Amino acid sequence: MPDLGKYADAVLSSYAASLVLLSLLVAITLYQGRKARRALEAVERKGNDRG
Amino acid sequence: MKALLARDLALALRAGGGFGLGLAFFLIVTVLVPLSVGPQSELLARIAPGLLWLGALLACLLSLDRLLALDWEDGTLDLLATSPLPLEAALSVKALAHWITTGLPLVLAAPVLGVLLNLPAPGFFWLVISLLLGTPALSVIGSFGAALTVGVKRGGLLMSLLVLPLYVPTLIFGAEVARRGAVGMETQTPLLMLAGITLGVIAIMPFASAAALRVNLR
Amino acid sequence: MKALLARDLALALRAGGGFGLGLAFFLIVTVLVPLSVGPQSELLARIAPGLLWLGALLACLLSLDRLLALDWEDGTLDLLATSPLPLEAALSVKALAHWITTGLPLVLAAPVLGVLLNLPAPGFFWLVISLLLGTPALSVIGSFGAALTVGVKRGGLLMSLLVLPLYVPTLIFGAEVARRGAVGMETQTPLLMLAGITLGVIAIMPFASAAALRVNLR
Amino acid sequence: MSLAVTDLCVARGGVPVLTGISFDLAAGQVLILRGPNGSGKTTLLRTLAGLQPPLSGQIEGAEDQIAYAAHSDGLKSMLSVDENLTFWAQVFGRKDIDAAIEAFRLGELRRRLAGTLSAGQKRRLGLARLLVTGRPIWMLDEPTVSLDVDAVAMFARAVRAHLAQGGAALIATHIDLGLDDAQVLDVGPFRASPEDLAGASDEAFL
Amino acid sequence: MSLAVTDLCVARGGVPVLTGISFDLAAGQVLILRGPNGSGKTTLLRTLAGLQPPLSGQIEGAEDQIAYAAHSDGLKSMLSVDENLTFWAQVFGRKDIDAAIEAFRLGELRRRLAGTLSAGQKRRLGLARLLVTGRPIWMLDEPTVSLDVDAVAMFARAVRAHLAQGGAALIATHIDLGLDDAQVLDVGPFRASPEDLAGASDEAFL
Amino acid sequence: MSVTEPKTQPKRPSGFWSYANPVKFLALSERILPTLWWLSVICLAVGLIWGFFFTPDDFRQGSTVKIIYLHVPSALMAINAWFMMLVASLIWIVRRHHVSALAAKAAAPVGVVMTLIALVTGAIWGQPMWGTWWAWDPRLTSFLILFLFYLGYIALWEAIEDPDTAADLTSVLCLVGSVFAVLSRYAVNFWNQGLHQGASLSLDKEENVADVFYFPLLVAIAGFVLLFLALVLYRTGTEIRLRRTRALLAREARL
Ligand code: HEM
Ligand SMILES: Nc1ncnc2c1ncn2[C@@H]1O[C@H](COP(=O)(O)OP(=O)(O)OP(=O)(O)O)[C@@H](O)[C@H]1O
Ligand SMILES: Nc1ncnc2c1ncn2[C@@H]1O[C@H](COP(=O)(O)OP(=O)(O)OP(=O)(O)O)[C@@H](O)[C@H]1O
Ligand SMILES: [Mg+2]
Ligand SMILES: [Mg+2]
């Protein structure tokens, strides 16, 4: 851990905030992607069952 | 009643439902203030508590016209009036749904916007408290305005005109709490007044609104 | 086209038509500002030109949702689109009608409200000039927002969200003219920019609006 | 359950439009209101449904008994067919919407947003709402507007089923609904003459 | 003046509803569109009127020839009957509204605000609008909704007069209009099958 | 009349534009996405760890320079994401490729988050440097306005039911918005003089940051670019699948 001196709060909180925002974005993206994939598969399977 | 609340919330979340738009409006007004009065931060800090309250009030006001007008246009209100639900209850529920979708997000967003306007540090707490106490009154009073003007096509602006004077006491005490809080003065008196107004309004206003709505349905 | 203008003006003057409501809103916002930021007259004088511009902008914005939504709901827009009148012309005429019923009264009322906010004496002239030059741009940009959101039920607030950032340049230059005028500084540069924006917007925006409206009618 | 109307006088826009209307509607009966455009059928139905006060006369047995279907349907275009019906069922304290879906063959449209339905499909949904109210007296204002022949028959079946369960219906319409045993009330003869101003809001100024 | 439609495919909400529609409409002819609810009549009329683009196929002779009357009437409730008609006359570059007033017997209502008319009276006003457009091809979507028997006859007379002057009409309706010499196009057989996706916006995704 | 004309087969585009076909696009993105994810994670990790742990403090700004590795890349991406949306909107308007419209839709939320990160890190940086969280500096203000444009754009997509209508309207908004965003930039510059740093990545060595900060910064920027590409590609795939689900359901409803 580097010594951040008196600005530790600022540096750490900006890293924390950015990483949280980025990982939220990635998580939401992956979640939505999975959901869409599942929904599509369900519909495609139903279509195939029918004929 | 639960059904009505659930439906109103669902509608607000659907396309064009307006959830978050009040918030966006609040944000935009806050951004436009420095653009119009100039960027000096000491000036902004002085007017911040008042203008944040004013912004929240306007955001609340603007989403009011969805409260009843949509249900009026498609005949839902006629049908609700002939249903077993008393109109007073229906209107209270609708005001509650309005607060949840508009007032509450405003309260939560206010501190962030406080940063933009250089709100002094002690002001944040009092701003949130005063908004939390005051916005329910705004929704309930607003539902009265909506009930009065529901028959008028695009009554939105007329409603603003009727409702704004009714908002004056809430605004005065609410902004006073935030302003005193920001400069570290005692806030108890206006806070009590604000709470009193909100409670009184919640207890009595639905009856006035229901009466107004009944006349309009006639 | 003359028929459309005459009809829009007549409708605005009828019950519920909204003529004067923009004005009333402007008045009330101006009155609420001292109530929310406190009554110190030197503070008010400093923020007066900016807040008057902001108030005018909001008043203009709020009456925008009548611009097209009513005609959309009752099918008039469908019928207009199949009529010999080009949509671009129809939209320009509607923006003009909006300016006559909203922008112009605001310009005329601004000096009176300036008194309420202790606007310094030289500011009156520049306030009126800047509003006179700027409000047509507000109406025209607004008609674009209205055309974008006309399909959305009660799109009023969504429209505000879309239109407000588009209003930023007009607001900045307009308020700058008023502010500089009030303190006796030179106003030529922002005034020219304001005029440029207004002219450009009037020349080009109707095409964008008509394109958006055609998509919405589809 | 029975509705009794005695010497009713109704007004619209401060002007009386119909006077001296009396009739009884008992369980199992259906009454068709007829009359040329503008004769006051809509006004009469709104008065009976309690949406506006009568100028004079009595209405008995209407309180909390009426399901009213107006020219417009009270549908939310942003909610699905299912959600629309469920909402109204809950408002009237009921749960089951399947019977209504069944009766108006909305099964295939259940998931569709009401806003994307065609005019006739919307109307069918509006009529299905009547079934979930559980109210005994139906008051319908031109219910078959924009319905095709099949759907009109569907509607007639639903009305007959309702009557068989002890319900009653009051229907304003211009076309033939295929309800054979219906009584007909032509409102034409009850048109108010300019003298019938007793109680109208303009009266005080005459 | 004649309208020629060739192999038209129309869509609503990105889904094709009708395909392979072809017909000619010459001066003096009237074509009645029939089909169950939701079969796509409204969609077809909107496409022909130029309000939405067709998926494929040609429409000839429609440009600036069409007076369209939709489910809703485009009336301003705050303007009087006279003002409403005058406005539309001016938009279409004409002056005289007396013939239209005459044809739909609106004489007594001229000064009344459109908002205070009954459902049928409003509809009559909406139809009178067609007469002031001076356009040769009328496209009407269920024009007789909420009209009484007299008014339907009035409407049939107006259509016949229009045809006699060399006009044409395309009418979607579920009821009998009493226009004897009308051809009928049942859109039922033209329903698009799920395979007919040529050009539909969904096609790329299937 | 029974002359049935042969149905003209639409010309299948080849080359670059063939990837505008949703199915081909999905296949392609499926192939390159894993690589892209890994590359972006590696670049981000290297850039940020290098920057955070292994660079010295600046003589004036102290350890706060470390914020630059987040602030500058996210600010750059925020602007570039809007630019990408503008290009995609133009392609949609001119050539009507669905993938292009959906890519614009997919990029918007990524753009907002980038804008937010730039705003938040900037605000946190401002506290020690300028003594305030926020100042109405022109660059900051125009960024806030950009944020609003993003919000409006997303709200418009959300509000409109029909996807093609939404694509058309948002494209028009994006075009008009871009013009006004540039106008606002000038207006804001006129309105207030700034506190903010000038461009420090310019080729003009005089103004440039020192090399110790420069190289990790470049790696971090590469990481942000790659992450942006991966996210947009993936999200576009999601949008395509949603569209396809919708289309299939609609077809089924008609069976
Ligand atoms: C909320 C506040 C802030 C915002 C919105 C903001 C925005 C931006 C933007 C948009 C850029 C990229 C400009 C470009 O490359 O063209 C940038 C770069 C930069 N910012 Fe900030 N900034 C903020 C606060 C700060 C603060 C407080 C500092 C430090 C004192 C700072 C230092 C820098 C530096 C050093 C660059 C790199 C300059 C360059 O590469 O062009 N920023 N900022
Ligand atoms: N504000 C008003 N002032 C005067 N007359 C009015 C007003 N509002 C409505 N009327 C008239 O009241 C009469 C009754 O209207 P109502 O809607 O009840 O007729 P209706 O029988 O339902 O006709 P329709 O079959 O056309 O629906 C009509 O002649 C109408 O023109
Ligand atoms: N957004 C949408 N998505 C899917 N299907 C839709 C959408 N909007 C409309 N439809 C369907 O398109 C079909 C055609 O509708 P249209 O309004 O043209 O029918 P219509 O023949 O006019 O019916 P009606 O006689 O009931 O007026 C209907 O089945 C309708 O449900
Ligand atoms: Mg009626
Ligand atoms: Mg139809």
Side-chain angles (χ1 to χ4, degrees):
Chain A
M1 195 69 191
D3 174 26
L4 296 173
K6 61 180 174 177
Y7 298 128
D9 284 354
V11 178
L12 289 177
S13 59
S14 62
Y15 270 75
S18 307
L19 294 182
V20 164
L21 279 173
L22 276 184
S23 38
L24 263 182
L25 174 65
V26 172
I28 290 173
T29 298
L30 292 179
Y31 169 74
Q32 286 172 339
R34 298 248 161 81
K35 211 171 83 178
R37 211 180 277 258
R38 270 199 307 275
L40 179 59
E41 272 161 14
V43 172
E44 278 176 338
R45 214 174 315 115
K46 220 163 69 185
N48 288 341
D49 289 352
R50 199 188 299 268
Chain B
M1 276 172 62
K2 243 190 290 173
L4 186 58
L5 183 62
R7 188 197 69 142
D8 271 20
L9 294 181
L11 278 174
L13 292 174
R14 292 291 157 92
F19 180 80
L21 286 177
L23 201 57
F25 185 84
F26 188 29
L27 170 69
I28 295 182
V29 169
T30 322
V31 173
L32 291 187
V33 166
L35 293 184
S36 55
V37 305
Q40 305 91 325
S41 55
E42 125 296 332
L43 177 64
L44 289 175
R46 275 181 72 187
I47 61 178
L51 282 181
L52 285 171
W53 247 92
L54 187 59
L57 184 145
L58 290 176
C60 218
L61 189 73
L62 293 182
S63 45
L64 276 181
D65 70 338
R66 294 164 170 271
L67 196 69
L68 295 175
L70 287 178
D71 282 344
W72 162 269
E73 276 162 22
D74 60 17
T76 306
L77 278 183
D78 275 357
L79 301 176
L80 266 183
T82 61
S83 84
L85 207 61
L87 267 187
E88 286 80 4
L91 282 167
S92 306
V93 170
K94 282 189 149 290
L96 176 62
H98 179 260
W99 184 74
I100 293 179
T101 54
T102 314
L104 194 58
L106 290 180
V107 175
L108 300 178
V112 179
L113 299 182
V115 173
L116 288 186
L117 291 186
N118 290 25
L119 186 69
F124 286 89
F125 173 73
W126 291 110
L127 180 68
V128 171
I129 288 289
S130 63
L131 283 174
L132 202 57
L133 265 177
T135 45
L138 298 183
S139 289
V140 176
I141 298 175
S143 71
F144 173 64
L148 271 181
T149 55
V150 75
V152 188
K153 272 224 155 192
R154 293 280 130 174
L157 213 48
L158 173 60
M159 191 189 55
S160 316
L161 202 55
L162 296 176
V163 165
L164 275 176
L166 300 180
Y167 275 180
V168 167
T170 318
L171 176 67
I172 290 184
F173 291 116
E176 186 75 18
V177 171
R179 225 154 7 110
R180 293 193 175 203
V183 296
M185 285 163 68
E186 161 291 332
T187 54
Q188 201 181 3
T189 328
L191 202 61
L192 282 179
M193 295 299 295
L194 186 62
I197 289 179
T198 301
L199 288 180
V201 151
I202 290 178
I204 294 169
M205 221 52 173
F207 296 95
S209 315
L213 189 55
R214 278 208 193 85
V215 171
N216 266 328
L217 287 177
R218 202 155 68 197
Chain C
M1 279 172 62
K2 242 189 292 173
L4 185 58
L5 183 63
R7 188 197 69 140
D8 271 19
L9 294 181
L11 278 174
L13 292 172
R14 295 289 156 93
F19 180 80
L21 286 178
L23 202 56
F25 184 84
F26 188 29
L27 172 68
I28 295 182
V29 169
T30 323
V31 172
L32 289 186
V33 166
L35 292 183
S36 54
V37 305
Q40 308 91 319
S41 58
E42 129 293 335
L43 178 63
L44 287 177
R46 271 181 75 188
I47 62 177
L51 281 182
L52 284 171
W53 246 92
L54 185 60
L57 184 145
L58 289 177
C60 215
L61 187 74
L62 293 182
S63 44
L64 277 180
D65 71 337
R66 295 163 168 272
L67 196 70
L68 295 176
L70 288 178
D71 281 345
W72 164 268
E73 275 162 24
D74 61 15
T76 305
L77 279 182
D78 275 356
L79 302 176
L80 266 183
T82 60
S83 83
L85 206 61
L87 267 188
E88 284 82 3
L91 281 165
S92 307
V93 170
K94 282 190 149 291
L96 176 62
H98 179 260
W99 183 73
I100 294 179
T101 54
T102 314
L104 196 56
L106 290 180
V107 176
L108 300 178
V112 181
L113 299 182
V115 175
L116 285 185
L117 291 187
N118 288 8
L119 186 69
F124 286 89
F125 172 73
W126 291 110
L127 180 67
V128 171
I129 289 289
S130 63
L131 282 173
L132 202 56
L133 264 177
T135 44
L138 298 184
S139 289
V140 176
I141 298 174
S143 71
F144 172 65
L148 272 182
T149 54
V150 75
V152 187
K153 273 226 153 190
R154 293 279 133 173
L157 215 45
L158 173 61
M159 192 188 53
S160 315
L161 183 60
L162 297 179
V163 165
L164 273 176
L166 300 179
Y167 276 179
V168 166
T170 318
L171 174 67
I172 289 185
F173 289 118
E176 186 77 19
V177 171
R179 223 154 9 109
R180 294 193 173 202
V183 297
M185 283 161 69
E186 141 322 313
T187 54
Q188 202 180 3
T189 329
L191 204 60
L192 281 179
M193 295 299 295
L194 186 63
I197 289 179
T198 302
L199 288 179
V201 150
I202 289 177
I204 293 169
M205 218 55 170
F207 297 94
S209 314
L213 189 55
R214 277 208 194 87
V215 171
N216 265 326
L217 286 177
R218 205 160 63 195
Chain D
M1 186 248 54
S2 102
L3 180 72
V5 171
T6 329
D7 205 20
L8 197 69
C9 179
V10 298
R12 175 133 175 234
V15 184
V17 291
L18 293 174
T19 64
I21 298 221
S22 304
F23 62 85
D24 287 310
L25 190 65
Q29 286 186 327
V30 53
L31 181 64
I32 307 266
L33 291 180
R34 290 202 178 276
N37 287 141
S39 54
K41 301 178 295 301
T42 299
T43 313
L44 177 59
L45 287 180
R46 286 180 63 85
T47 311
L48 293 177
L51 289 168
Q52 58 177 69
L55 282 188
S56 61
Q58 274 81 48
I59 306 169
E60 271 154 47
E63 191 79 21
D64 281 345
Q65 302 289 309
I66 291 180
Y68 173 59
H71 283 295
S72 49
D73 287 321
L75 303 175
K76 288 290 158 200
S77 54
M78 280 301 160
L79 295 181
S80 70
V81 169
D82 252 11
E83 288 168 324
N84 267 300
L85 274 186
T86 309
F87 166 66
W88 284 112
Q90 286 173 334
V91 165
F92 284 87
R94 318 190 118 229
K95 291 243 169 70
D96 187 39
I97 62 165
D98 291 337
I101 294 269
E102 188 65 23
F104 287 95
R105 272 200 238 121
L106 294 166
E108 285 188 5
L109 304 170
R110 291 183 85 138
R111 301 275 183 76
R112 280 267 286 280
L113 295 185
T116 69
L117 300 178
S118 83
Q121 290 164 339
K122 266 187 202 142
R123 197 72 201 173
R124 253 152 62 197
L125 177 53
L127 293 174
R129 194 185 61 83
L130 292 169
L131 290 177
V132 302
T133 59
R135 289 278 176 90
I137 309 180
W138 289 0
M139 300 223 167
L140 315 179
D141 204 350
E142 309 200 39
T144 57
V145 154
S146 48
L147 290 185
D148 63 17
V149 186
D150 279 1
V152 171
M154 219 184 275
F155 167 70
R157 263 202 306 284
V159 172
R160 269 189 236 108
H162 179 63
L163 299 180
Q165 288 167 17
L170 192 59
I171 306 178
T173 184
H174 295 295
I175 67 168
D176 185 34
L177 299 177
L179 294 166
D180 315 316
D181 45 349
Q183 294 164 274
V184 173
L185 176 67
D186 189 340
V187 300
F190 299 98
R191 161 158 298 191
S193 67
E195 279 78 49
D196 295 313
L197 278 169
S201 69
D202 279 352
E203 184 205 25
F205 299 93
L206 288 175
Chain E
M1 186 248 53
S2 101
L3 179 72
V5 171
T6 327
D7 204 18
L8 197 69
C9 180
V10 298
R12 176 133 175 235
V15 185
V17 291
L18 294 174
T19 66
I21 298 223
S22 304
F23 62 83
D24 286 311
L25 190 66
Q29 287 186 325
V30 54
L31 181 65
I32 308 267
L33 291 180
R34 290 202 179 276
N37 287 140
S39 54
K41 303 178 295 300
T42 300
T43 313
L44 177 59
L45 288 180
R46 285 181 63 84
T47 311
L48 293 176
L51 288 169
Q52 57 178 71
L55 282 188
S56 62
Q58 275 81 49
I59 305 169
E60 269 155 48
E63 191 81 21
D64 282 345
Q65 301 290 309
I66 290 179
Y68 173 60
H71 283 295
S72 48
D73 288 320
L75 303 175
K76 288 290 157 199
S77 54
M78 285 328 251
L79 295 181
S80 70
V81 169
D82 252 12
E83 288 167 324
N84 268 300
L85 274 185
T86 309
F87 166 66
W88 284 112
Q90 287 173 334
V91 165
F92 284 88
R94 318 192 117 229
K95 291 243 172 69
D96 187 36
I97 62 164
D98 291 337
I101 294 270
E102 188 65 24
F104 287 94
R105 275 202 236 117
L106 294 166
E108 284 186 7
L109 305 170
R110 289 183 85 136
R111 301 278 181 73
R112 279 266 287 280
L113 294 186
T116 69
L117 300 178
S118 82
Q121 291 164 339
K122 266 186 201 143
R123 196 73 202 175
R124 254 151 62 196
L125 176 52
L127 293 173
R129 194 185 61 83
L130 292 169
L131 289 177
V132 304
T133 60
R135 290 276 176 91
I137 309 180
W138 287 1
M139 300 222 167
L140 315 180
D141 204 349
E142 308 200 40
T144 56
V145 154
S146 48
L147 290 185
D148 63 18
V149 185
D150 279 1
V152 172
M154 218 183 278
F155 166 70
R157 263 202 306 283
V159 172
R160 269 188 236 109
H162 178 63
L163 299 181
Q165 288 168 18
L170 191 61
I171 306 179
T173 184
H174 295 294
I175 66 168
D176 185 33
L177 299 176
L179 294 166
D180 315 313
D181 45 350
Q183 295 163 275
V184 172
L185 176 68
D186 188 339
V187 298
F190 298 97
R191 161 159 297 196
S193 70
E195 278 75 50
D196 293 313
L197 279 169
S201 69
D202 277 352
E203 184 208 24
F205 297 91
L206 288 175
Chain F
M1 201 197 78
S2 60
V3 197
T4 45
E5 301 201 8
K7 273 202 172 149
T8 45
Q9 269 294 326
K11 212 172 68 207
R12 283 276 161 223
S14 56
F16 174 71
W17 291 114
S18 69
Y19 293 107
N21 174 296
V23 182
K24 274 195 95 169
F25 177 87
L26 276 188
L28 175 78
S29 71
E30 211 78 320
R31 250 187 301 128
I32 59 177
L33 258 177
T35 331
L36 213 51
W37 282 123
W38 280 117
L39 269 181
S40 65
V41 167
I42 292 170
C43 279
L44 268 182
V46 169
L48 292 184
I49 290 175
W50 185 357
F52 188 82
F53 290 101
F54 305 110
T55 54
D57 289 355
D58 185 68
F59 66 96
R60 261 183 309 133
Q61 309 193 359
S63 62
T64 56
V65 263
K66 296 191 192 301
I67 299 177
I68 206 172
Y69 308 112
L70 292 165
H71 179 74
V72 171
S74 57
L76 282 176
M77 286 328 290
I79 294 170
N80 288 343
W82 183 271
F83 190 68
M84 185 224 116
M85 281 156 55
L86 175 61
V87 173
S89 299
L90 278 172
I91 294 178
W92 163 250
I93 289 177
V94 177
R95 298 199 51 143
R96 304 200 79 73
H97 291 308
H98 287 89
V99 174
S100 161
L102 293 180
K105 182 184 186 186
V110 186
V112 197
V113 172
M114 293 297 173
T115 317
L116 254 184
I117 293 178
L119 284 173
V120 168
T121 52
I124 295 174
W125 202 348
Q127 180 59 22
M129 286 303 105
W130 307 335
T132 171
W133 299 99
W134 181 263
W136 290 92
D137 167 275
R139 175 133 28 160
L140 276 58
T141 308
S142 47
F143 236 61
L144 197 58
I145 294 169
L146 180 66
F147 183 62
L148 297 181
F149 273 118
Y150 271 121
L151 286 188
Y153 180 86
I154 293 171
L156 190 61
W157 264 110
E158 291 302 316
I160 294 168
E161 187 60 27
D162 180 70
D164 277 8
T165 308
D168 281 333
L169 293 178
T170 49
S171 300
V172 175
L173 177 68
C174 189
L175 287 186
V176 173
S178 303
V179 174
F180 275 82
V182 173
L183 261 182
S184 313
R185 187 68 228 265
Y186 282 107
V188 164
N189 260 339
F190 177 82
W191 164 77
N192 190 16
Q193 279 68 44
L195 294 164
H196 197 278
Q197 243 78 354
S200 44
L201 290 188
S202 62
L203 294 176
D204 182 359
K205 267 285 176 191
E206 291 294 306
E207 285 189 17
N208 234 327
V209 283
D211 282 355
V212 259
F213 306 121
Y214 189 62
F215 290 114
L217 180 57
L218 279 190
V219 180
I221 288 177
F224 268 78
V225 171
L226 289 168
L227 182 67
F228 173 79
L229 286 180
L231 281 168
V232 170
L233 220 52
Y234 187 87
R235 295 181 66 92
T236 310
T238 305
E239 295 294 341
I240 291 175
R241 290 197 180 86
L242 287 176
R243 238 351 253 288
R244 180 167 155 79
T245 312
R246 201 188 123 101
L248 288 174
L249 281 177
R251 177 165 80 171
E252 205 172 293
R254 316 184 43 76
L255 279 174

